Amino acid sequence: MKSIKDGYGIDNLTMLTDFYELTMANGYFQAGLDDRIAYFDLFFRRVPDGGGFAIMAGLQQVVEYLKELRFTSEDIQYLRSKQLFCEEFLEYLEAFEFKCDVWAVPDGTPIFPHEPILTVRGPIMQAQFIETMLLLIVNHQSLIATKANRIVRAAKGIPVLEFGTRRAHGASAAIYGAKAAYIGGCVGTACTIADRDFNVPAQGTMAHSWVQMFPNEYEAFKTYAKIYPDNCILLVDTYNVLKSGVPAAIKVFKEIRPRHMGIRIDSGDIAYLTKRARKMLDDADLHEVKITVSNSLDEHIISDVLAEGAKIDGFGVGERLITAKSESVFGGVYKLSAIEENGKIIPKIKISENVEKITNPGFKTLYRLYDKATGKALADLIALDGEEAPKNDGYEIFDPNAIWKRKTLCNYEAINLRKAIFLEGKCVYDVPAIDETREYCKEQIARLWDETLRFENPQTYYVDLTQKLWDMKSDLLRNINTKL
């Protein structure tokens, strides 16, 4: 598999970072803190679009980025020109070697607010420096995977293609957006390079310009059908869908009989046009012809047209998917949670006037509790590293937004969601094939309750802290308030 870095041919993205990461690194170095071990958690605070869950995506690119961290001579020359960094620090960068540990939940995993979906442990200079790129990758790809899955679920089993390459916010957003959309459940993409480099199936037929190049739709369709008899999907809305487009397609289908036949409608009243087109095709004894629609679709429009009885066999979704137009920011953050002193982990906490911005301290892991009878996910539990999963003898868990709301869990299986990705700078994780990740995502979403899956006012999923972690957090807050 060829590795795409940013879509513009830049091989090394080490310097794709906020400048303060470098000034802090130089500061740590000169303050003698460069080897201090720190722990950072990557998490998000709110599900986009008011949804019940999000989907983790981007881990493959995180692995590629961390494997190739290095500072080139040009990087060092640039930094020297800023006249901000000491020579000893620049010499350190010249010989840079990544030495951190990384744990993360796999791509395709349903995730919830405040969970440590990725944790970095290592020298503060290194663990801090990679913040920008980790957030860039996970924020973007998790956002698109989450949006894609909403759209796929709205389609109720009808295939969805990602059509947004030309509306993406740059080349890398198009490429990695297509990959994330596939993980989220789309069946393919219009983005050719995503197929070449990531095995996301690319599909496509014709644009309106093809039809306009011929004297009429019949000639355009007939020519295309002869060239592509195995993939003959005709765009029927260049002039008039029902008066000329569909009749011309029917004539060509009956004359040429391509092995795979379909029409696409890219404008107009989708519900009305597809119902009329389906009747015309059926009346012509062309029941096997598929109808695909596009044109600024999202989960809400798809739900509406299906409720209206639209006759659709496939959706092409572009700009509102690839840009996550309804809510274009995922909001993942990367916060210090602990440091090490003399081999002992010292928890750290950030407080805020906004309660949702108060962090969970310490070195943590994440369990998901599944009902043994149904296989459904019951709740998630954030635990301190080394804590065993709760025993299956009636575990009491709290509502994350209202601690007075409790429920007791019985007959469950606890699974640690996080995997070791890097240990001492060496990658120890085999990235699954994308089809395996996509299937895993589908299986894991099927293990969520319908109440969590609904679009409007989804049931809040329980994400609790173990008693030990809760007590640690409470003690830190009390001590800080006392000092203040």
Side-chain angles (χ1 to χ4, degrees), residues 3-17:
S3 176
I4 296 296
K5 295 305 174 207
D6 71 338
Y8 293 99
I10 298 175
D11 293 326
N12 186 341
L13 295 179
T14 301
M15 293 290 281
L16 203 171
T17 188

Side-chain angles (χ1 to χ4, degrees), residues 312-334:
I312 298 171
D313 301 294
F315 293 99
V317 185
E319 63 187 50
R320 297 188 184 186
L321 191 167
I322 204 65
T323 66
K325 184 177 180 181
S326 56
E327 189 161 348
S328 58
V329 175
F330 191 66
V333 294
Y334 187 81

Side-chain angles (χ1 to χ4, degrees), residues 25-71:
N26 180 66
Y28 290 136
F29 187 89
Q30 295 197 49
L33 297 173
D34 48 305
D35 288 329
R36 174 67 61 85
I37 299 299
Y39 296 75
F40 284 86
D41 290 332
L42 193 159
F43 60 94
F44 69 105
R45 297 188 178 112
R46 187 173 60 83
V47 179
D49 291 310
F53 66 97
I55 295 173
M56 174 68 173
L59 185 56
Q60 179 181 359
Q61 193 188 359
V62 166
V63 169
E64 292 173 358
Y65 163 71
L66 294 177
K67 279 182 175 180
E68 300 183 20
L69 272 178
R70 68 188 187 279
F71 291 85

Side-chain angles (χ1 to χ4, degrees), residues 434-471:
I434 192 166
D435 284 323
E436 183 180 339
T437 298
R438 183 173 180 272
E439 185 61 28
Y440 165 78
C441 181
K442 181 179 178 181
E443 292 170 354
Q444 290 302 305
I445 290 170
R447 301 187 76 173
L448 299 177
W449 294 96
D450 290 343
E451 291 83 354
T452 304
L453 296 174
R454 66 185 179 227
F455 294 144
E456 299 297 330
N457 298 315
Q459 176 67 43
T460 300
Y461 183 83
Y462 281 70
V463 179
D464 199 7
L465 311 183
T466 62
Q467 189 66 52
K468 191 173 181 180
L469 177 53
W470 175 268
D471 291 342

Side-chain angles (χ1 to χ4, degrees), residues 104-140:
V105 302
D107 280 349
T109 304
I111 51 178
F112 300 90
H114 304 290
E115 296 183 334
I117 56 177
L118 185 149
T119 295
V120 177
R121 174 198 176 272
I124 181 64
M125 283 181 17
Q126 296 192 11
Q128 180 84 69
F129 175 78
I130 61 179
E131 170 185 9
T132 300
M133 193 62 180
L134 297 191
L135 286 173
L136 185 159
I137 294 169
V138 175
N139 275 333
H140 172 244

